[in-house]
């Protein structure tokens, strides 16, 4: 963190694939891809919200594609981990409409 710049021009050059100028072969679609250790998670600082219950339900559904009961809404381990990460990175829903 001590080496991370707060200057946007430097961040694009050092934290995004091809300096933030990455497109499909035909140039039709721009792709903003993190190129740091942690990729998109490292550079996705603009908005962090808790995983919505409907997403956790999908991940946990016994008959679903993922079948991961540890992610079910109300599952303590996931809730504790998510809260710890949010606190560590200073994530807040303040001012976010979702």
């Amino acid at each position: 963190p001590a080496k991370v710049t707060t200057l946007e021009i430097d961040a694009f050059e050092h934290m995004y694939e091809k300096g933030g100028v990455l497109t499909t072969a035909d140039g039709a679609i721009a792709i903003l891809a993190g190129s740091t250790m942690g990729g998109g998670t490292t550079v996705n600082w603009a908005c962090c919200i808790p995983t919505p219950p409907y997403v956790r339900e999908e991940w946990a559904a016994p008959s679903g594609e993922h079948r991961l009961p540890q992610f079910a809404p109300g599952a303590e381990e996931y809730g504790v981990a998510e809260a710890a990460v949010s606190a560590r990175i200073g994530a807040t829903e303040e001012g976010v409409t979702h």
Side-chain angles (χ1 to χ4, degrees):
K3 295 181 181 180
V4 175
T5 178
T6 57
L7 299 175
E8 187 174 20
I9 190 77
D10 293 335
F12 269 89
E13 181 180 342
H14 298 289
M15 298 180 79
Y16 291 95
E17 189 71 28
K18 296 198 175 197
V21 186
L22 178 65
T23 64
T24 55
D26 63 1
I29 300 172
I31 303 164
L32 191 58
S35 66
T36 63
M37 178 70 158
T41 304
T42 302
V43 298
N44 184 18
W45 55 268
C47 182
C48 259
I49 59 172
T51 308
Y54 72 90
V55 173
R56 292 180 61 179
E57 288 167 4
E58 180 182 325
W59 292 345
S63 61
E65 177 182 349
H66 309 293
R67 294 184 213 124
L68 300 166
Q70 66 270 31
F71 293 112
E76 186 177 350
E77 187 176 1
Y78 182 84
V80 168
E82 184 174 59
V85 170
S86 293
R88 176 138 187 209
I89 66 174
T92 178
E93 291 183 79
E94 185 178 325
V96 176
T97 303
H98 186 270

